[in-house]
Amino acid sequence: MYKTYIYNLASKLEKAFKQSLPEAIRGILTPVLVLVITVPLTYIVIGPVSQGICGAIFMVVKALYEWGIVGGILAGALVGGGFGVLVMFGLHWVIISLALSNIGINGFDYIMASGGIGPMIGVAQGLCITLRTRSKKVRDLALPSFISQVCGVGEPLMYSILIPLKKPYVINILSGAVGGAVMGALRTKIYLFGWIDRICAE
């Protein structure tokens, strides 16, 4: 879940070394130095910090869901609206792992019922932008991103369309929060994990 940070750090280090090292040794030393720096940092800094953040998210969401209908509404809105933001930082896996754990232990999960709203809204957004945009450049990005979103991979749509256009990204977050709040209030559960979930409300 913290591979995004490692990739970003490694890419910046690679650029810095390519600019500063002499050309004769650049090809050999650049990958070696990048590994020597990133591997220890991954185990000593990036990994523990990411795990701490994920643990805090886990505890907050779980505590809210156990706090009756009001807690369900708050947790649903938080997960539904915040899922896309977590994806940006690679932290959405804590929600997914919590959902898998709930299904394994209890036979059902109520968290990803809320977290899955934003990606479903993203499917509709991708289709609408593909059909309605007048920009060929945007359409060429939106169509494959829409197909990817249908298959459950949201990063292409998020990074190529929603975030650059800004307004659709804000709409996705707000709509996800509203949908998540409704799911949380109804204590909606999923019994299967995947893009097409079997959902029912208590």
Side-chain angles (χ1 to χ4, degrees), residues 139-196:
R139 186 180 296 108
D140 289 345
L141 290 170
L143 180 57
S145 298
F146 160 68
I147 295 169
S148 177
Q149 186 79 25
V150 170
C151 296
V153 181
E155 286 84 352
L157 182 71
M158 179 180 293
Y159 290 118
S160 66
I161 300 296
L162 299 185
I163 293 175
L165 294 179
K166 295 181 178 66
K167 188 177 178 181
Y169 185 58
V170 173
I171 290 171
N172 185 280
I173 291 172
L174 295 177
S175 303
V178 172
V182 172
M183 292 290 193
L186 296 175
R187 311 299 289 175
T188 306
K189 300 174 182 177
I190 61 172
Y191 295 88
L192 299 173
F193 194 83
W195 183 237
I196 301 174

Side-chain angles (χ1 to χ4, degrees), residues 42-185:
T42 299
Y43 286 102
I44 297 169
V45 179
I46 298 174
V49 169
S50 298
Q51 287 296 106
I53 294 170
C54 290
I57 294 171
F58 173 89
M59 287 188 290
V60 169
V61 170
K62 188 174 180 183
L64 283 173
Y65 264 109
E66 292 173 353
W67 191 37
I69 293 176
V70 175
I73 293 171
L74 292 175
L78 183 65
V79 174
F83 195 77
V85 178
L86 293 176
V87 170
M88 286 178 60
F89 300 100
L91 296 173
H92 61 297
W93 288 106
V94 68
I95 303 298
I96 293 172
S97 63
L98 177 58
L100 289 170
S101 175
N102 284 336
I103 290 173
I105 294 171
N106 304 316
F108 62 87
D109 172 65
Y110 40 80
I111 294 173
M112 272 310 294
S114 300
I117 297 296
M120 291 180 187
I121 293 168
V123 170
Q125 287 180 303
L127 179 60
C128 290
I129 292 169
T130 300
L131 295 176
R132 295 185 60 89
T133 185
R134 296 177 182 177
S135 169
K136 185 179 183 302
K137 181 181 177 182
V138 173
R139 186 180 296 108
D140 289 345
L141 290 170
L143 180 57
S145 298
F146 160 68
I147 295 169
S148 177
Q149 186 79 25
V150 170
C151 296
V153 181
E155 286 84 352
L157 182 71
M158 179 180 293
Y159 290 118
S160 66
I161 300 296
L162 299 185
I163 293 175
L165 294 179
K166 295 181 178 66
K167 188 177 178 181
Y169 185 58
V170 173
I171 290 171
N172 185 280
I173 291 172
L174 295 177
S175 303
V178 172
V182 172
M183 292 290 193

